[in-house]
Amino acid sequence: MRETAQILLLVEERRAAMLADEKHALRRLLAPDLRYVHSTGSADSRESLIARLASGRVVYQRFCFDRLAVTHMPNCALFSGEMRAQLRRGGELRDAGWRRPVERTGVRRSTVAV
């Protein structure tokens, strides 16, 4: 149970860092080999996602998860649930991921104190 709480805390830290465009926090929280797939189907690496947020091309106005569940695996933990986001891209306000299931996302064991 303690480990699940730690993973959910990391998920919340990442959510808050994406909203606040906290580059240093995102570098700490996101894996170097990250492959972040957006609801549009486009994909970013860790560095391209951070650059996209830092450039202001995409600005998250709202970003939240509902019904999160954690599945523990031998070398990682997966979280799933529903994501809702509102973002500004090119001056246009858009809804993204409203009530869509979050793809299972891994948290490596090395980031969680067991």
Side-chain angles (χ1 to χ4, degrees), residues 9 39 43 45 64 88 111:
L9 180 62
S39 61
S45 65
C64 59
R88 188 168 300 281
T111 61

Side-chain angles (χ1 to χ4, degrees), residues 76-96:
C76 70
L78 306 172
F79 74 91
S80 60
E82 295 177 346
M83 182 206 60
R84 294 179 296 178
Q86 191 172 57
L87 56 93
R88 188 168 300 281
R89 186 181 328 167
E92 182 182 333
L93 196 59
R94 300 179 183 193
D95 290 333

Side-chain angles (χ1 to χ4, degrees), residues 34-102:
L34 173 77
R35 185 93 170 134
Y36 188 91
V37 181
H38 300 271
S39 61
T40 61
S42 66
D44 275 304
S45 65
R46 177 177 77 172
E47 293 308 315
S48 67
L49 176 63
I50 292 170
R52 181 187 297 248
L53 294 171
S55 73
R57 288 180 297 184
V58 173
V59 178
Y60 283 97
Q61 305 289 304
R62 187 174 178 186
F63 190 121
C64 59
F65 294 110
D66 288 321
R67 302 177 207 184
L68 283 180
V70 176
T71 304
H72 297 276
M73 306 295 283
N75 295 314
C76 70
L78 306 172
F79 74 91
S80 60
E82 295 177 346
M83 182 206 60
R84 294 179 296 178
Q86 191 172 57
L87 56 93
R88 188 168 300 281
R89 186 181 328 167
E92 182 182 333
L93 196 59
R94 300 179 183 193
D95 290 333
W98 289 95
R99 295 289 178 202
R100 293 186 184 163
V102 173

